[in-house]
Amino acid sequence: MSLLDTLKKESEEALGEKPEVATQGTDQELDSGKTEVANAEDVPVPQSFDEDSIPSVVDEIFNTALEKHASDIHFKPKENKFEVFFRIDGTMVEYKLYDKIYHHPIIARIKIISGLKIDEHRLPQDGKSSFQGPGDKEVDLRVSILPTQYGEKVVIRLLEKNPKMVELRDLGMLPNILLKVEKHLKSTYGMILAVGPTGSGKSTSLFSMVSTFDAEDYNISTLEDPIEYKIPDVTQTQINPDIGFDFPDGLRTIVRQDPDIIMVGEIRDQKTASLAIESALTGHLVFSTLHTNSASGTIQRLLNMDIDRFLITAAVKIIISQRLVRKVCSSCREKYPVPAKFHQMLKEEIDITPENAFFYKANGCEKCNNTGYSGRIGIFEVLEMSPAIEELIINSASNTDIEAQAVREGMILLRKDALYKAVTGDITIEEALRVLNS
Ligand SMILES: [Zn+2]
């Protein structure tokens, strides 16, 4: 019995029915989701199915994903078909719709290359592999398999082996925000925090900041989970909670290694927070991230982690709150006058004459996979510790009061930064609102 026959038989047994072939129905799920369809091609029903073609089918999927800079590939079985999606710049884009007959052979191929059990269909599995694309581009593959009602679903995260670090000045900070951040990078001690929800680009910001230091002149140590970018001459350590090596353990060891600069991937608990603050107050420049929604809300989070008010005011230098949004494709964007319903908002928030301003529409062209978007840019809100803010924190002022004071001292709120970027043509107004309202 050939591999294909075995797989078909297994699939029939697993599903308790014969896999249906050649059904092309409407796709409710796709229509209702936040999915953009671009370049989707329906694959004709195969007259004869050649199992030898499967490795090249899978290679083609990986190659295309690399070419389109996808961060993840989703292999999603449905009742009568099998769909492959890419996540590009945070958005799901349909790549191809396959006949259901491809489901098992493609999943089996993925299992083979990532060292997973081919005959296991009922339990989730996690695996790793790597893939060499054209032009020496190499990615690590993190494979996750989940059994579903229509068979196994696979999601593969693509991690570039040597991703290009984004320069600090290319993150998208307004010139005066950038100056503020650069000023604090000259400090010899204290804490610099990047905060925001998952996927807001916090790690990218930390790396951009840390890589402005000459690693030959400073002892730079990082604790990460996982190591995302490899920086030459920087001591990078992967924490591993499974074997009892967590952020606090790592931090305790790093401070004994005479560091100048410490980067802690994320402050998740009281112990890490307290050790990181202590390190920041004992002559080290500490970079870290926190999962909070605003710059001012970060103070409250640290207080909730039992960090003393005085220590917070003494240690924290700046808090960079951020979001990541899709940049509108500069090749096909189209400007249009700001609609009347936004006039008031623009006048009040960014003090411009809305009648003379423009927004930009995402159209879609070949360069942007017909999505209208290309690459991403950060939206930032940077709170700088000042004597007045220190006083408010010590006097248990509310987040609102702290934020209001920061704004008086020149802090640009996330919302404003997003509106600036909408009128300058970096992003669409829809993208600005989507991120700010979520
Ligand atoms: Zn375009």
Side-chain angles (χ1 to χ4, degrees):
M1 194 182 264
S2 70
L3 172 64
L4 178 65
D5 292 333
T6 316
L7 292 164
K8 272 197 219 157
K9 190 163 169 286
E10 279 176 4
S11 102
E12 284 167 30
E13 281 163 7
L15 296 169
E17 62 186 272
K18 274 189 172 260
E20 277 181 51
V21 175
T23 311
Q24 300 277 342
T26 54
D27 191 348
Q28 298 293 342
E29 199 177 337
L30 193 65
D31 291 338
S32 62
K34 276 188 188 169
T35 307
E36 290 182 15
V37 179
N39 293 346
E41 295 167 35
D42 286 2
V43 172
V45 183
Q47 292 302 314
S48 62
F49 182 89
D50 175 14
E51 67 180 85
D52 294 337
S53 70
I54 292 300
S56 54
V57 169
V58 173
D59 281 0
E60 192 203 332
I61 296 171
F62 288 155
N63 276 323
T64 314
L66 280 185
E67 195 186 297
K68 293 183 184 289
H69 303 287
S71 60
D72 305 78
I73 311 175
H74 293 230
F75 298 82
K76 194 172 183 184
K78 304 227 167 150
E79 194 172 3
N80 300 312
K81 55 196 157 187
F82 178 56
E83 280 181 297
V84 177
F85 294 90
F86 295 149
R87 189 178 287 283
I88 301 170
D89 294 332
T91 302
M92 293 274 270
V93 177
E94 191 187 40
Y95 166 56
K96 261 187 191 177
L97 182 64
Y98 291 88
D99 193 280
K100 184 84 175 186
I101 203 167
Y102 280 85
H103 179 212
H104 278 276
I106 285 180
I107 304 280
R109 173 71 189 161
I110 293 167
K111 285 177 174 174
I112 289 166
I113 61 176
S114 46
L116 298 175
K117 290 183 194 154
I118 302 188
D119 55 352
E120 176 58 75
H121 303 291
R122 293 170 302 174
L123 290 172
Q125 296 192 70
D126 289 320
K128 277 184 192 174
S129 185
S130 62
F131 180 77
Q132 178 95 47
D136 282 351
K137 205 173 172 192
E138 203 175 353
V139 282
D140 281 327
L141 308 174
R142 299 281 157 83
V143 181
S144 160
I145 301 188
L146 178 72
T148 75
Q149 74 273 42
Y150 301 124
E152 287 164 296
K153 178 185 171 186
V154 177
V155 177
I156 301 181
R157 168 140 294 188
L158 307 174
L159 296 163
E160 258 185 74
K161 280 236 163 129
N162 295 301
K164 244 178 54 200
M165 195 104 58
V166 186
E167 300 260 345
L168 182 59
R169 63 172 175 275
D170 294 331
L171 291 175
M173 289 178 180
L174 293 172
N176 52 340
I177 293 184
L178 185 60
L179 280 176
K180 223 184 241 188
V181 172
E182 283 173 336
K183 181 181 92 189
H184 288 284
L185 293 179
K186 295 198 176 83
S187 314
T188 53
Y189 76 97
M191 183 179 260
I192 292 177
L193 292 170
V195 308
T198 306
S200 55
K202 304 183 289 266
S203 313
T204 305
S205 295
L206 282 202
F207 278 104
S208 306
M209 290 190 280
V210 169
S211 62
T212 60
F213 293 88
D214 188 338
E216 288 191 353
D217 296 341
Y218 296 90
N219 181 8
I220 306 177
S221 292
T222 74
L223 284 176
E224 302 174 55
D225 182 22
I227 293 176
E228 288 179 50
Y229 304 88
K230 288 186 184 122
I231 324 175
D233 297 320
V234 168
T235 307
Q236 293 177 276
T237 301
Q238 157 97 56
I239 64 141
N240 192 342
D242 289 343
I243 55 163
F245 177 45
D246 55 17
F247 279 119
D249 295 326
L251 250 175
R252 278 188 210 102
T253 310
I254 278 184
V255 291
R256 286 185 220 118
Q257 298 232 330
D258 185 29
D260 300 300
I261 293 160
I262 302 172
M263 194 194 102
V264 183
E266 191 183 349
I267 294 178
R268 294 178 191 156
D269 53 81
Q270 193 270 332
K271 251 191 210 164
T272 310
S274 131
L275 284 165
I277 292 268
E278 198 183 303
S279 308
L281 289 171
T282 50
H284 310 108
L285 192 55
V286 177
F287 292 85
S288 193
T289 70
L290 270 156
H291 201 283
T292 55
N293 286 329
S294 66
S296 60
T298 306
I299 311 275
Q300 192 56 48
R301 175 60 58 85
L302 290 170
L303 290 169
N304 293 345
M305 287 182 173
D306 283 334
I307 307 298
D308 183 271
R309 291 175 189 282
F310 287 94
L311 296 186
I312 294 175
T313 59
V316 175
K317 299 280 180 191
I318 44 169
I319 303 170
I320 303 165
S321 171
Q322 64 178 84
R323 300 289 185 275
L324 204 52
V325 294
R326 292 179 296 165
K327 268 174 99 165
V328 60
C329 171
S330 56
S331 302
C332 62
R333 68 179 183 192
E334 194 185 316
K335 72 177 183 181
Y336 62 97
V338 169
K341 66 174 175 178
F342 291 107
H343 283 191
Q344 192 67 14
M345 187 198 258
L346 290 196
K347 249 186 257 172
E348 282 172 11
E349 304 215 22
I350 56 173
D351 195 25
I352 60 161
T353 313
E355 289 79 7
N356 301 332
F358 295 91
F359 282 155
Y360 294 77
K361 200 172 127 204
N363 274 331
C365 67
E366 214 164 83
K367 280 192 181 163
C368 58
N369 298 318
N370 288 315
T371 58
Y373 297 94
S374 172
R376 290 196 276 182
I377 188 170
I379 291 179
F380 298 94
E381 169 180 299
V382 176
L383 185 144
E384 207 175 8
M385 198 58 76
S386 69
I389 290 174
E390 283 178 22
E391 205 181 314
L392 285 169
I393 296 171
I394 286 161
N395 293 322
S396 311
S398 66
N399 289 355
T400 318
D401 289 344
I402 293 172
E403 185 171 284
Q405 178 60 31
V407 169
R408 276 194 291 279
E409 292 175 12
M411 179 170 86
I412 293 163
L413 292 169
L414 280 174
R415 202 183 156 70
K416 268 195 179 186
D417 193 25
L419 292 176
Y420 279 129
K421 289 186 168 113
V423 295
T424 52
D426 286 320
I427 63 175
T428 62
I429 185 67
E430 292 79 16
E431 185 72 355
L433 298 175
R434 181 181 70 83
V435 169
L436 296 176
N437 294 335
S438 66

